Amino acid sequence: MSLLFTVQQQHAWLVFDGAHVTRSDTRPRLPRAAMAIADFEGAVSSVLALEGSPAHAVALIERRLRSDGMVDGEAKVLIHKTRTVGAGYQTLFTAVPLDTWQQTFAWAEAQPDHCLLIPATSLLFSALKPGQAVVLQSGRQISVLALLKHGMLHRSSLAYSDDPDDLAMTAGALGEQIADDLARSEDNLEPLEVKWCPLLVPNPGAGQPWLDDSLREVFSARSGLAVSTVPVRRVLDNAGNEYRSGAAWMERIASTAIAVNPGSSRAAYLAEWALPWASAASLVFALVLGALGARWTLSAHEAGSRAEALGTQLGELETRITALNGKATMPEHFDQMLQFIERAQSLQQGIDPVAGMGLVREAAAGQVRILRVRMEEPMPAGAPGRAPDAPVVTEPTLRVDAVVDAAHGDAGMQIPTFVERLRRAGFEPVALDPQASATASRSAGGFFSYLLKRPSAIAPVPAAATGATP
């Protein structure tokens, strides 16, 4: 089964499944393994020239953005690339509002299958070599990233509307800015090879030029650069409308090396990607076994004689077993003993509260503060008082109510770090529905709740019953 490829376009999501595309105004629930390219709802991406040690780049970028009024509140700074320039360095970064970062990261990690999360700027940079540039046309936004011999250039503009005239004006202004940047640059690497990548462009109809071709010509004329289009293909939406898209080219240049997921998630995605190759290897192995089976058939007559001897021995054993059946009796109080053993097995498969609280306390160190830990009794489907979208609990589990410790840990990573530690401790954390309790309803203030289970403690809940996208 092929993997899904989804791209965030401003505040919408485009899900590509082969030659089919689906548009969603909310974060979609992906039915199988996927790769997600996120622009984090228009987060700030740029190139800054700094001095000092690159280890201090995050703090210097935050201070510069605050002084310029580019960010308001806490932000997560993603460093895509750092290049030494003279006595200083240039850094390519994306500054994401903390709330947007946490919501997008949690969405990717909460998917039912593996979901690789890749920043859009990292994807564009991975497609470049010195002397190359790429232009991404995504809805109303046009972004340019160039990798020169001794530096980097990044420009991005958002058109006023989807009107072709507004988009053409934006593409022309962006081309003039790039031409000015190259004229002021001391980098004399020529010519600059530029690629144009349209994310999704509707078919204009018979006899009409495609919008991405028109914008590419305007950009080329204003910048003075030769621009070529990346390989594109036709895709259809649910209504049968036809589009032209460079999503397949974007998917080919994406890799796990530029993803922001934890190492375990990236390794799981690689395993999913390698599954078709493993299936092919299994087929070859089956063919080899078939050839060996044909060879073993030649000595089947020897096995026949052995089977006759074994049949005689089995007949003697069956006679002795029949003679012993009359003497076999059940021990006294066998039913009570069986019930005791089944109950002990159920308790053993559950979670030890004392050991569980110790593991939760270790996982929370330096990241979150634990408000309450309590034992949750089994709640099978249809049990009285159970919410329709609550997980089906088949064995005793632990419920943890906690709050983010803003004074400790990496800002924006407290909850993901806490959850990752719980997984390494052997738990499978399940986030509770925000409507399930008064504590969870205050999650906007840093409060959150998780249900900690062992791998067999909770039965899967059908997607239709959840009622909401994580």
Side-chain angles (χ1 to χ4, degrees):
M1 183 179 293
S2 61
L3 304 176
L4 295 177
F5 184 73
T6 176
V7 184
Q8 186 181 21
Q9 188 180 71
Q10 284 84 60
H11 294 278
W13 289 84
L14 302 175
V15 180
F16 294 89
D17 187 0
H20 182 267
V21 62
T22 304
R23 180 185 178 90
S24 174
D25 293 329
T26 59
R27 296 183 182 92
R29 184 173 180 83
L30 305 173
R32 59 180 188 270
M35 179 180 294
I37 309 301
D39 64 4
F40 300 102
E41 301 179 8
V44 178
S45 293
S46 185
V47 175
L48 281 182
L50 302 172
E51 296 181 353
S53 172
H56 306 144
V58 172
L60 294 176
I61 291 171
E62 285 185 320
R63 185 171 63 183
R64 178 77 64 86
L65 294 178
R66 291 182 187 278
S67 64
D68 294 343
M70 300 296 293
V71 296
D72 183 16
E74 297 294 329
K76 174 69 175 181
V77 178
L78 305 175
I79 304 296
H80 307 298
K81 181 64 177 180
T82 299
R83 299 188 74 186
T84 301
V85 180
Y89 61 94
Q90 277 188 329
T91 179
L92 175 64
F93 70 91
T94 298
V96 187
L98 191 56
D99 290 344
T100 303
W101 163 257
Q102 290 179 337
Q103 293 170 9
T104 307
F105 186 89
W107 164 81
E109 288 296 297
Q111 292 302 308
D113 209 332
H114 316 307
C115 180
L116 207 62
L117 184 62
I118 299 177
T121 306
S122 293
L123 177 73
L124 296 181
F125 185 84
S126 66
L128 298 180
K129 296 180 181 179
Q132 293 182 345
V134 61
V135 183
L136 177 62
Q137 176 193 345
S138 177
R140 295 189 295 118
Q141 185 169 4
I142 302 177
S143 303
V144 183
L145 180 61
L147 182 59
L148 307 179
K149 184 177 182 180
H150 301 295
M152 296 177 288
L153 293 177
H154 183 275
R155 290 282 184 177
S156 182
S157 294
L158 188 66
Y160 291 109
S161 68
D162 294 326
D163 185 84
D165 293 337
D166 288 342
L167 291 171
M169 182 177 63
T170 301
L174 198 60
E176 292 178 353
Q177 292 174 356
I178 292 297
D180 293 340
D181 291 338
L182 293 176
R184 291 193 301 267
S185 174
E186 298 179 358
D187 198 330
N188 296 322
L189 186 63
E190 292 292 345
L192 189 64
E193 180 185 349
V194 184
K195 300 177 182 178
W196 187 281
C197 177
L199 179 56
L200 193 69
V201 179
N203 190 335
Q208 300 295 324
W210 288 83
L211 178 60
D212 57 304
D213 289 337
S214 302
L215 298 182
R216 175 171 52 85
E217 292 176 359
V218 171
F219 179 86
S220 177
R222 296 290 184 88
S223 64
L225 300 172
V227 184
S228 59
T229 302
V230 302
V232 296
R233 67 177 178 183
R234 306 290 179 90
V235 295
L236 300 176
D237 62 10
N238 294 333
N241 299 317
E242 186 181 36
Y243 300 85
R244 188 158 72 174
S245 173
W249 175 80
M250 297 172 63
E251 184 176 1
R252 284 197 298 271
I253 64 175
S255 67
T256 57
I258 57 177
V260 295
N261 304 73
S264 58
S265 298
R266 286 183 284 175
Y269 180 89
L270 283 175
E272 188 79 18
W273 174 82
L275 183 60
W277 299 99
S279 300
S282 299
L283 178 60
V284 173
F285 185 66
L287 294 176
V288 173
L289 288 180
L292 291 176
R295 180 179 178 183
W296 293 335
T297 304
L298 299 177
S299 58
H301 63 282
E302 297 180 2
S305 60
R306 294 180 183 178
E308 293 178 358
L310 289 175
T312 302
Q313 295 178 7
L314 288 175
E316 296 176 356
L317 290 175
E318 289 178 354
T319 302
R320 295 175 60 184
I321 291 173
T322 302
L324 292 174
N325 282 339
K327 301 179 181 180
T329 58
M330 297 295 293
E332 189 177 0
H333 307 299
F334 177 79
D335 292 339
Q336 294 84 342
M337 179 64 69
L338 180 61
Q339 294 177 3
F340 173 78
I341 293 175
E342 291 176 348
R343 178 58 179 170
Q345 183 180 11
S346 175
L347 293 175
Q348 183 181 16
Q349 293 176 348
I351 296 178
D352 183 0
V354 177
M357 285 189 291
L359 294 174
V360 170
R361 184 169 55 251
E362 293 177 1
Q367 301 294 334
V368 301
R369 288 185 293 158
I370 303 301
L371 301 180
R372 180 175 63 178
V373 179
R374 72 179 185 185
M375 179 69 71
E376 293 284 340
E377 291 298 324
M379 291 286 290
R386 175 184 173 273
D389 56 352
V392 180
V393 181
T394 60
E395 298 171 2
T397 57
L398 289 180
R399 175 192 174 122
V400 179
D401 297 326
V403 64
V404 172
D405 191 351
H408 298 85
D410 188 5
M413 293 299 295
Q414 291 97 331
I415 295 178
T417 302
F418 175 59
V419 172
E420 184 63 21
R421 289 178 178 175
L422 289 175
R423 287 174 176 163
R424 289 200 299 266
F427 294 114
E428 289 189 13
V430 178
L432 296 182
D433 189 336
Q435 302 298 328
S437 67
T439 302
S441 66
R442 296 174 292 175
S443 60
F447 294 90
F448 60 93
S449 299
Y450 275 90
L451 198 64
L452 307 183
K453 68 183 184 69
R454 295 300 184 184
S456 62
I458 295 184
V461 179
T466 59
T469 301

